Amino acid sequence: MTNVLRTYFPMLQSRDQILQKIHCTNDLHAIFQSWDNKRQEEFLDFCTGAKGVKMLYDFCIKAILDPEVYPERIEEFISLLLGKSVKLLKVLPNDNTRISDESSLLIMDFLVQLMDGSIVNVEIQKIGYAFPGQRSACYSADLLLREYKQVRSQMTKKTFSYRKISDVYTIVLFEKSTPEFHRFPDKYLHKFQQESNTGLRLNLLQKFVFVALDIYGKKHQNKGIKDRLNAWLTFLSTDAPEDIIALIEKYPDFKPMYEQVYEICQNIEQVMGMFSKELYELDRNTVRYMIDELQEENMRWKEQDKRNQAEIEHWKEVNRRNQEENQRNQAALKEEIERLRKELDRKR
């Protein structure tokens, strides 16, 4: 399959060429030897095209989807996710307050303003955070307040109108989604907005799109690429050479994006440094995710223990009442026996 990919991407180097460059430089050799066998093979597969390009490596996706350099790519991707045509006005500084551990779990996070004034925050998460709904709602609220303050500062009290505040979209893509999403194994795209129970329509401004790339990958495996949204999600979710070939044959405009990454791979020293950083972040993210999972599990056990204790106390109370009732019944029975004995003695 490597030879097949090299037909499409002639800049791909062979395994021997890459190993020769690594072993000829002491620093590169030391870095390569510091990786375990699995990581070494992963790196070689990546650079030679044996397993295609994993676009969700940090250094890959940031090069491909830089909104300042390639606004047309961002426009199309957001348009497909929102289901309407959008045009970028500008890239905004992302000054959301992030917990440092959470920032490390993000592959990419950028903020853009559209021509209609709407603000779109796009996040790509390597491992989904716990409580994805609550977290997204908090950051969306932060963006909405930021927009409100900006609009308010540009207008006087007499000219200010809430009509000037535009929609805020939060788009989150998960490389590995959280358990909530796996309860819907046939759904990978989830859209949320606030609605009333009566049919009354009010624009409450906050809208959300969640994309589970891992579920998409499982659902669309060997099913072909039906449309442009499928093409983008395939581009982001798979590194299988056969999928890459199918994608660029149906949509040739994706080929330059792969070429862009393979050009980066020509500089072995640079790509090894980025790959080392990627592995470090992956290990760190995995540890953080495991801590979150253990905390969640610990909380569940505590809640279960609390329920068990409450149930034990309930049955203790039931048992105590039963014992009291039994004692009353025994006393009443003794009284009745004594009465009947006395009545029998009287009759005798």
Side-chain angles (χ1 to χ4, degrees), residues 251-262:
Y251 294 105
D253 55 306
F254 280 89
K255 186 179 179 183
M257 300 188 214
Y258 287 106
E259 289 175 337
Q260 193 174 339
V261 174
Y262 284 134

Side-chain angles (χ1 to χ4, degrees), residues 142-171:
D142 182 54
L143 288 176
L144 188 58
L145 181 60
R146 171 179 169 177
E147 186 185 5
Y148 165 77
K149 288 179 178 178
Q150 183 180 4
V151 172
R152 193 69 187 259
S153 68
Q154 294 171 351
M155 307 177 75
T156 65
K157 288 185 178 180
K158 291 183 178 179
T159 59
F160 173 78
S161 170
Y162 284 99
R163 191 183 298 275
K164 299 289 185 181
I165 301 175
S166 302
D167 291 334
V168 171
Y169 294 91
T170 301
I171 298 174

Side-chain angles (χ1 to χ4, degrees), residues 179-192:
E180 297 96 323
F181 292 89
H182 291 268
R183 293 173 194 154
F184 300 86
D186 294 329
K187 305 292 182 184
Y188 54 87
L189 183 63
H190 304 268
K191 297 183 179 183
F192 293 81

Side-chain angles (χ1 to χ4, degrees), residues 38-256:
K38 179 184 174 184
R39 302 304 188 192
Q40 291 176 357
E41 290 301 316
E42 186 178 347
F43 174 78
L44 292 171
D45 287 346
F46 173 74
C47 290
T48 61
K51 283 193 177 178
V53 177
K54 189 175 181 181
M55 280 299 169
L56 290 187
Y57 282 141
D58 183 84
F59 64 91
C60 293
I61 198 64
K62 285 181 177 175
I64 298 299
L65 291 185
D66 186 334
E68 305 223 40
V69 181
Y70 305 106
E72 69 284 355
R73 294 176 182 175
I74 303 300
E75 285 175 349
E76 184 189 29
F77 189 50
I78 292 175
S79 296
L80 292 167
L81 290 175
L82 299 186
K84 64 177 185 179
S85 179
V86 304
K87 286 289 182 183
L88 262 61
L89 176 63
K90 59 183 176 180
V91 180
L92 300 175
N94 198 337
D95 60 358
N96 282 354
T97 303
R98 298 274 186 189
I99 300 171
S100 59
D101 285 332
E102 292 183 357
S103 298
S104 70
L105 294 174
L106 287 171
I107 299 173
M108 193 171 190
D109 179 21
F110 61 84
L111 190 64
V112 295
Q113 188 171 30
L114 306 181
M115 287 293 187
D116 64 0
S118 300
I119 291 177
V120 182
N121 179 213
V122 179
E123 290 183 9
I124 304 177
Q125 298 178 12
K126 184 171 288 292
I127 301 174
Y129 300 141
F131 311 111
Q134 293 92 321
R135 291 173 189 248
S136 298
C138 288
Y139 290 126
S140 175
D142 182 54
L143 288 176
L144 188 58
L145 181 60
R146 171 179 169 177
E147 186 185 5
Y148 165 77
K149 288 179 178 178
Q150 183 180 4
V151 172
R152 193 69 187 259
S153 68
Q154 294 171 351
M155 307 177 75
T156 65
K157 288 185 178 180
K158 291 183 178 179
T159 59
F160 173 78
S161 170
Y162 284 99
R163 191 183 298 275
K164 299 289 185 181
I165 301 175
S166 302
D167 291 334
V168 171
Y169 294 91
T170 301
I171 298 174
V172 183
L173 294 92
F174 303 99
E175 183 176 9
K176 182 177 180 181
S177 55
T178 53
E180 297 96 323
F181 292 89
H182 291 268
R183 293 173 194 154
F184 300 86
D186 294 329
K187 305 292 182 184
Y188 54 87
L189 183 63
H190 304 268
K191 297 183 179 183
F192 293 81
Q193 64 182 34
Q194 294 157 308
E195 296 181 353
S196 74
N197 64 327
T198 61
L200 174 66
R201 294 192 175 185
L202 296 174
N203 185 8
L204 298 180
L205 298 175
Q206 292 168 285
K207 298 172 175 63
F208 303 85
V209 179
F210 296 95
V211 185
L213 293 172
D214 51 348
I215 294 175
Y216 170 81
K218 291 177 183 177
K219 181 175 174 60
H220 283 265
Q221 194 170 20
N222 302 321
K223 289 188 177 179
I225 301 166
K226 297 178 182 178
D227 53 35
R228 288 292 295 186
L229 180 57
N230 275 180
W232 270 103
L233 298 183
T234 298
F235 175 75
L236 293 172
S237 64
T238 183
D239 61 351
E242 59 271 21
D243 292 333
I244 293 173
I245 292 170
L247 174 59
I248 62 178
E249 285 186 344
K250 185 163 186 177
Y251 294 105
D253 55 306
F254 280 89
K255 186 179 179 183

